[in-house]
Amino acid sequence: MEYKDYYSTLGVEKNASPEDIKKAYRKLVRKYHPDVSKEKDADARTKELNEAYDVLGDPEKRAAYDELGQAPRQGEGFRPPPNWGYDFDFGQDGGGEDLFADLFANIGRGRGARGGGRGFQMRGEDLHASISIGIREAYTGASHTISLRVPKHENGRITMEDRKLTVAIPPGVTPGQQLRLAGQGQPGSGGPGDLYLEIRFSEDKRFHVEGKDVYQTVPVAPWEAALGGDIEVETPSGSVSVNVPANSQTGRKLRLKGRGLPGGVPGNLYLVLEVVLPPSNMPKARELYEAMARGLATFNPRK
C-alpha cells in the first residue's frame, strides 16, 4: 500500500494545529474548486485535498495516521501495526492508493462486519454544489432550503433523485468559502460522503467584497460633495449617519471600522462616494448649469 503524505498535500507541517490545517484546506480548496479553478488537474487536486482533510481534520483519524506513518520511507510499502487489519482485508486486489484512502475513511465510523462480510467499507463520494446569498445574509446569517439532483444506486442502476436540504448559513461567511455538511454526500457501505457548498454572493452593483472588507457605492448630490455635511446611509448592518468632507469627489472612500463582514476580527466597510448630477432636462437644473457655465467659465476640470 503506497504511503500518502497528507501533510504535504495540504502544505502544512506535521505539528500544525487543527486551525492551521483547516485554514490551509480552505485556501487550497477554493483555489482548485472545479467551478472556479482554471487548473487542468482541478478535479484530481480537489479530491486529494478532501481526502487529506478528511483524515487530518478528524482528531481520531489523525492520531491513527500519525502512528501508522511514523516510519515510512520513500519507495517502501505502507506497514500497518499489529491487529490493524482485524476488520479489513489487506489483499492485493485493487489499487494501493484507493486502499489507503478507504482505510482512513473507516476510522471513527464503527467496525465493519466480520466473517463473511469482511472487506473494506467504501465511503460514499463527496458532493459539491454552490449556494447564492445576499450581502445582508452574510452579516446576519440565514437559513436556506436547497434542492439537489443526486445520483442514486437502485437495483444495480444509477438514477437521479431530488433531495431538499435546509442549510444554516453562519454570519461572516465570505465568497468562495465552503460549508461542509457531514454525511450529506453519496451513500456508501462505510458511511456517506460529505456535501461541500461553496458560498457565492448574489450580484449587487452597490457592493464589492474583498475578504472581510465590504465596499459600498454611495450616491451623493453635487452640493453634498462640494459643501460637505452629514448624510444617512443604509448599510448591510443598518442605517448610519456619516460626514461627507467638503470638496469630495467621486471615488473618495469613507472607512467605517469594524462594520464589514462579522467574525472574530470583523472587516471594515468602505463607503465609496459617487457624485450624481441632476439631469439637465429638469428646467431648474438646466438654469443652474447655464449660470455655472457663465459664472465659472475659468474652471477647467481637465487641468
Side-chain angles (χ1 to χ4, degrees):
M1 192 187 328
E2 181 184 347
Y3 177 74
K4 301 173 77 172
D5 189 344
Y6 289 145
Y7 290 102
S8 177
T9 299
L10 295 181
V12 297
E13 299 294 331
K14 291 188 177 181
N15 60 353
S17 67
E19 188 61 30
D20 288 338
I21 290 174
K22 182 186 293 185
K23 287 181 180 178
Y25 166 72
R26 287 180 173 176
K27 179 180 178 180
L28 289 171
V29 87
R30 281 198 297 268
K31 177 180 178 181
Y32 289 103
H33 192 281
D35 290 344
V36 297
S37 178
K38 296 181 180 179
E39 302 287 340
K40 294 181 179 179
D41 60 345
D43 284 322
R45 289 285 285 136
T46 298
K47 183 178 179 180
E48 291 175 358
L49 293 169
N50 288 337
E51 180 182 316
Y53 185 68
D54 187 59
V55 173
L56 299 186
D58 183 296
E60 184 179 354
K61 292 181 183 180
R62 184 181 180 184
Y65 173 78
D66 288 343
E67 180 180 350
L68 295 178
Q70 285 178 355
R73 301 284 196 278
Q74 184 68 26
E76 285 188 1
F78 188 77
R79 299 176 182 175
N83 300 325
W84 179 256
Y86 183 80
D87 290 315
F88 301 96
D89 181 5
F90 286 100
Q92 298 302 312
D93 295 334
E97 293 188 3
D98 292 337
L99 199 62
F100 190 88
D102 293 338
L103 173 63
F104 287 98
N106 286 276
I107 301 174
R109 297 179 184 271
R111 293 292 187 178
R114 297 173 181 170
R118 290 174 61 187
F120 275 102
Q121 302 288 307
M122 295 295 291
R123 179 176 178 272
E125 291 287 331
D126 293 332
L127 298 178
H128 295 265
S130 61
I131 184 170
S132 294
I133 65 171
I135 183 71
R136 287 180 174 80
E137 293 177 312
Y139 276 76
T140 61
S143 178
H144 277 251
T145 299
I146 62 173
S147 296
L148 297 173
R149 284 187 62 80
V150 297
K152 177 183 179 182
H153 294 271
E154 190 173 39
N155 298 326
R157 299 175 55 199
I158 298 179
T159 60
M160 301 298 291
E161 70 171 356
D162 294 322
R163 184 194 302 177
K164 286 192 174 182
L165 295 174
T166 299
V167 181
I169 309 295
V173 293
T174 55
Q177 180 177 337
Q178 295 214 7
L179 301 181
R180 177 174 174 254
L181 279 64
Q184 295 298 334
Q186 283 281 68
S189 57
D194 300 327
L195 170 63
Y196 291 86
L197 283 181
E198 181 184 355
I199 297 295
R200 295 182 179 178
F201 282 8
S202 302
E203 185 175 354
D204 192 323
K205 295 181 179 180
R206 295 172 298 170
F207 302 103
H208 171 65
V209 179
E210 293 184 8
K212 287 283 187 179
D213 293 335
V214 178
Y215 294 78
Q216 177 178 349
T217 300
V218 178
V220 293
W223 51 91
E224 292 173 328
L227 304 177
D230 293 336
I231 62 173
E232 288 291 320
V233 179
E234 189 64 34
T235 74
S237 60
S239 181
V240 296
S241 177
V242 296
N243 182 266
V244 177
N247 297 314
S248 291
Q249 301 285 348
T250 290
R252 183 165 192 168
K253 298 181 181 69
L254 309 179
R255 186 181 75 150
L256 302 184
K257 186 176 180 180
R259 294 191 73 104
L261 293 177
V265 179
N268 299 318
L269 174 63
Y270 293 89
L271 304 180
V272 185
L273 302 183
E274 180 183 45
V275 180
V276 179
L277 302 176
S280 60
N281 58 3
M282 295 174 60
K284 186 62 177 178
R286 186 172 186 83
E287 180 183 334
L288 291 172
Y289 290 147
E290 290 174 345
M292 290 174 65
R294 292 190 299 270
L296 301 174
T298 59
F299 173 70
N300 186 342
R302 289 166 296 282
K303 289 186 178 180

